[in-house]
Amino acid sequence: MGSHAQDAPVDEAAIKSHIEEITTAQLVNSPIYNFLLSDVRICSASQGSMTARLKLTRNHINSAGGIHGAASAAIVDWAGGMAIATWDLRRKTGVSVDIHVTYLSSAVEGDEIEITGTADKVGGSLGFTRVVISKVVDGEAGPVIASGSHTKFVKQR
């Protein structure tokens, strides 16, 4: 069982920098993340959680004009991994075992969304995360667009 190193706090600026570095590397190495997340901004990060913002573009929108479910699912995938990376500053965030997304409302091209990822537990083999995607209204996280859970196999070799 992994420990949430509360006894050895890490500077939040260092965690944020770590997440920014991993995101930059992923954008280069992952065509889907590059396509969907090239403009993502990490707003904050602390041990076990991260928050980012993203302005929705045509790349994120379905034929009806709202955020595409596949885009939301990819965001849940990415943010779950980033939350795991905040746990202990690991660079490899594992592979997906299970992902669930619940779609609650929508957003359109030009809207800004806030993405919050939380690692509930990172053990020796599995990491369990929750992600909330909200529409930003008047500079604050507003209505929840989608929420998800993401389990990853995180055993390091």
Side-chain angles (χ1 to χ4, degrees):
M1 184 163 146
S3 66
H4 192 293
Q6 291 287 350
D7 49 354
V10 178
D11 180 352
E12 289 184 7
I15 296 171
K16 181 176 183 269
S17 177
H18 176 69
I19 297 305
E20 289 169 337
E21 288 172 22
I22 291 174
T23 298
T24 298
Q26 285 183 338
L27 293 178
V28 172
N29 295 318
S30 172
I32 189 69
Y33 284 165
N34 191 26
F35 183 73
L36 293 173
L37 298 169
S38 60
D39 295 326
V40 74
R41 291 183 343 270
I42 307 300
C43 299
S44 64
S46 58
Q47 197 161 38
S49 68
M50 57 75 62
T51 301
R53 289 207 172 169
L54 177 67
K55 186 171 185 174
L56 297 180
T57 68
R58 180 172 162 82
N59 292 352
H60 305 105
I61 304 303
N62 64 24
S63 61
I67 186 170
H68 199 291
S72 297
I75 290 168
V76 169
D77 181 33
W78 169 78
M82 292 303 96
I84 287 169
T86 68
W87 190 268
D88 55 8
L89 300 182
R90 66 183 62 209
R91 294 200 66 76
K92 295 186 178 185
T93 62
V95 297
S96 297
V97 172
D98 187 56
I99 191 166
H100 292 270
V101 183
T102 302
Y103 304 97
L104 302 165
S105 65
S106 193
V108 298
E109 184 175 353
D111 284 344
E112 185 176 38
I113 59 171
E114 183 168 289
I115 305 153
T116 303
T118 305
D120 292 323
K121 177 182 177 184
V122 180
S125 296
L126 296 174
F128 301 89
T129 70
R130 289 177 289 122
V131 176
V132 175
I133 303 170
S134 303
K135 182 176 176 179
V136 174
V137 178
D138 297 326
E140 300 293 326
V144 174
I145 296 166
S147 63
S149 62
H150 188 202
T151 304
K152 296 189 86 172
F153 179 74
V154 296
K155 188 170 186 173
Q156 305 213 9
R157 299 177 228 177

